[in-house]
Amino acid sequence: QVQLVESGGGSVQSGGSLRLSCTVSGYSSSSACMGWFRQVAGPEREGVAVIDSGGRTSYAPSVEGRFTISQDNAKKTLYLQMNSLKPEDTATYYCAAGVGTINSCGWIHWGQGTQVTVSS
């Protein structure tokens, strides 16, 4: 059974930092891609950052230069370092696992989400 469990969310003031973690169990693939998404309201989830099995990364323009996605394969953990946080970064953040490349990842598994709140 595949499980993705996020942690590290919380409340922070504008300009602050948070690091989200996503521990993955029961999932491995030579062509795995991992990513972070966020959702504010409604069914749409915005892609925030993606990393593929080769370590290539991609970011949404709104977070480029402020957020960093990384993974520790030994710990089976995905990270999202978020710096210079803005109120508009407030959302529920989800990690996801899929198969594909940095430009075309088919998302298969999702975590339960962790709330990030940034106050001005």
Side-chain angles (χ1 to χ4, degrees), residues 51-72:
I51 186 167
D52 69 10
S53 57
R56 289 174 290 270
T57 59
S58 178
Y59 297 91
S62 59
V63 307
E64 182 88 50
R66 300 188 297 122
F67 292 10
T68 303
I69 187 172
S70 62
Q71 58 187 1
D72 185 327

Side-chain angles (χ1 to χ4, degrees), residues 72-77:
D72 185 327
N73 292 326
K75 294 182 179 180
K76 296 184 178 180
T77 302

Side-chain angles (χ1 to χ4, degrees), residues 3 21-22 33-34 45 49-51 55 68 78-80 91-92 111 115:
Q3 280 193 313
S21 300
C22 174
C33 41
M34 301 291 298
R45 289 183 181 179
V50 179
I51 186 167
T68 303
L78 179 73
Y79 301 101
L80 184 69
T92 301
Q115 178 67 34

Side-chain angles (χ1 to χ4, degrees), residues 2 18 49 63 66 97-98 101 107-108:
V2 177
L18 283 173
V63 307
R66 300 188 297 122
T101 65
W107 302 106
I108 304 172

Side-chain angles (χ1 to χ4, degrees), residues 84-105:
S84 302
L85 282 161
K86 305 175 181 180
E88 51 264 44
D89 294 318
T90 295
T92 301
Y93 283 72
Y94 297 87
C95 71
V99 176
T101 65
I102 194 69
N103 294 316
S104 179
C105 185

